[in-house]
Amino acid sequence: GPGIYVSTRANPTVFKNVVRDGDSAGCFVCNAGLGDFRSNTVSGNAGAGWEIESDADPTVCENHIAAGKGCGVLVHKAGRGTLTLNEVVGSADAGIRVCTRGNPVVQRNRVVDGASHGVHVTDSGGGAFDGNTLKGNQGDAVRIDTQGAPILKDNDIETDAPRCACVRVCDGGLGLLEVNRMQALPGSEACVILESAGNPVIKGNVISNSPACGVVSHKGGAGELRGNTICDNGEHGVLMEAGCTTQLLSNRILRNVVHGVCLVGEETKPLLQSNTIKFNKQNGVDVSLGARPLLERNAIRENQQYGIHAHDAAFGAYTKNELSGNVKAGVCIGSLSNPTLKNN
């Protein structure tokens, strides 16, 4: 069984213990259990390092949670808890998983070097994640899916895992991501990936230094990106593929190695409004292969090729944009393309 078991409003103080190599969870808090757990080492257990469920609400502070064979921390079945200043390292499953109406407060923890996702919020999980460091995990640094709806604010989120992202929102995932710093290192896929009805609000973040794209919205990707700085990425700042409906509102999209925004494929019908798109190495906005965006009141300046390049059957409506200082033309309309331009 668990190394430490707390239930039914019990409220112990647990300080500087070592809980290791058990055949279940290291610490299991359930049935409205409480407790103050500080400066413990919990390692090598067969289940989660910490498992919190059934209205339990412990305080878990400054613990070292390491090398578990399950999740570092599992909060589920309406568990809560406040996790502060813990080190969660080397988990075989997600560093922190929140599901089935779990709703913890997770502040200033380090979740590092796990074999799966750093934070995984799924199956109607929630939680508030503030000021954490996520790096070195072999899955996505943050994955949100299946009606997961956390709030992530002021976190440092980094990945170098192959085919992974700093943040992936998919399969109906929701949530608010605000003023985080996201950096995808060589080997990873992108800073942000939206797909299969992922529908978050991503607001005021710095999304930078991906070896590929800053943001990719695949088929079914939705959501709103507002007020972010998307810069210095190795391919496009934002790539929107066939069948996505993501909205770009008031972002700064700067100094990306290919296009600022690339829109490609039929049924790509996003709204781009009031963005500043400049200093990109190729086009500010590149539209092709049936994409039909609405571009409205954007400042598209000083890109190294065209401001807007619509080509290979591009459509859409481009209204009240400011196009200046682009090395080639402000707008270039190529083969089989017929967008509507008004008051630019």
Side-chain angles (χ1 to χ4, degrees):
I4 297 174
Y5 180 88
V6 178
S7 180
T8 322
R9 292 181 294 281
N11 190 17
T13 298
V14 183
F15 181 60
K16 286 191 175 180
N17 297 279
V18 176
V19 183
R20 69 182 187 188
D21 301 328
D23 61 3
S24 183
C27 300
F28 183 42
V29 189
C30 62
N31 298 327
L34 301 168
D36 188 354
F37 299 82
R38 294 179 184 267
S39 302
N40 303 284
T41 297
V42 179
S43 65
N45 296 284
W50 240 276
E51 185 171 352
I52 302 168
E53 65 167 58
S54 305
D55 295 311
D57 193 14
T59 297
V60 181
C61 183
E62 295 183 334
N63 300 279
H64 184 69
I65 305 166
K69 298 176 178 63
C71 299
V73 178
L74 173 61
V75 184
H76 63 141
K77 299 178 183 176
R80 299 192 300 277
T82 300
L83 287 76
T84 307
L85 295 170
N86 301 285
E87 176 114 345
V88 183
V89 57
S91 303
D93 202 342
I96 299 174
R97 176 170 288 132
V98 183
C99 57
T100 54
R101 296 179 293 111
N103 192 29
V105 175
V106 183
Q107 300 173 321
R108 303 193 304 281
N109 301 277
R110 283 176 49 83
V111 184
V112 300
D113 298 335
S116 184
H117 309 305
V119 169
H120 185 197
V121 183
T122 184
D123 195 12
S124 301
F129 295 78
D130 190 353
N132 302 283
T133 297
L134 311 171
K135 64 186 298 185
N137 299 289
Q138 294 307 300
D140 299 314
V142 176
R143 182 185 175 101
I144 305 169
D145 60 43
T146 322
Q147 303 303 309
I151 297 171
L152 284 88
K153 186 174 182 180
D154 195 30
N155 301 281
D156 287 304
I157 305 172
E158 181 180 296
T159 187
D160 60 359
R163 298 180 299 281
C164 291
C166 294
V167 174
R168 186 188 302 266
V169 188
C170 59
D171 300 327
L174 303 167
L176 170 64
L177 292 89
E178 188 171 9
V179 296
N180 303 284
R181 293 158 297 281
M182 305 180 199
Q183 182 172 359
L185 300 179
S188 57
E189 185 174 349
C191 288
V192 177
I193 296 176
L194 308 174
E195 57 192 352
S196 54
N199 190 22
V201 175
I202 300 176
K203 180 179 178 182
N205 303 275
V206 176
I207 299 170
S208 68
N209 291 298
S210 168
C213 299
V215 178
V216 177
S217 188
H218 293 301
K219 183 175 181 179
E224 176 186 301
L225 282 81
R226 181 186 292 272
N228 303 284
T229 298
I230 303 170
C231 64
D232 301 310
N233 296 290
E235 294 182 9
H236 312 302
V238 180
L239 171 62
M240 296 186 174
E241 296 182 342
C244 80
T245 58
T246 302
Q247 297 185 354
L248 296 180
L249 309 173
S250 301
N251 301 282
R252 299 173 71 244
I253 303 173
L254 314 172
R255 299 188 304 275
N256 299 287
V257 170
V258 189
H259 307 311
V261 180
C262 181
L263 305 120
V264 58
E266 295 182 1
E267 299 184 17
T268 305
K269 300 178 181 179
L271 169 65
L272 283 72
Q273 185 179 82
S274 302
N275 301 284
T276 297
I277 304 171
K278 64 181 182 178
F279 304 142
N280 298 287
K281 297 296 185 182
Q282 295 190 24
N283 302 318
V285 179
D286 190 87
V287 188
S288 67
L289 300 177
R292 298 175 178 269
L294 173 60
L295 277 60
E296 185 176 276
R297 296 197 300 274
N298 300 283
I300 305 173
R301 305 172 182 158
E302 299 177 75
N303 298 286
Q304 293 301 301
Q305 293 190 15
Y306 301 110
I308 300 172
H309 189 192
H311 60 100
D312 297 299
F315 302 95
Y318 314 157
T319 305
K320 298 182 180 178
N321 300 285
E322 178 192 340
L323 298 129
S324 64
N326 299 287
V327 172
K328 295 186 176 180
V331 180
C332 177
I333 301 174
S335 59
L336 303 176
S337 298
N338 189 24
T340 300
L341 281 73
K342 186 177 179 179
N343 295 330
N344 296 288

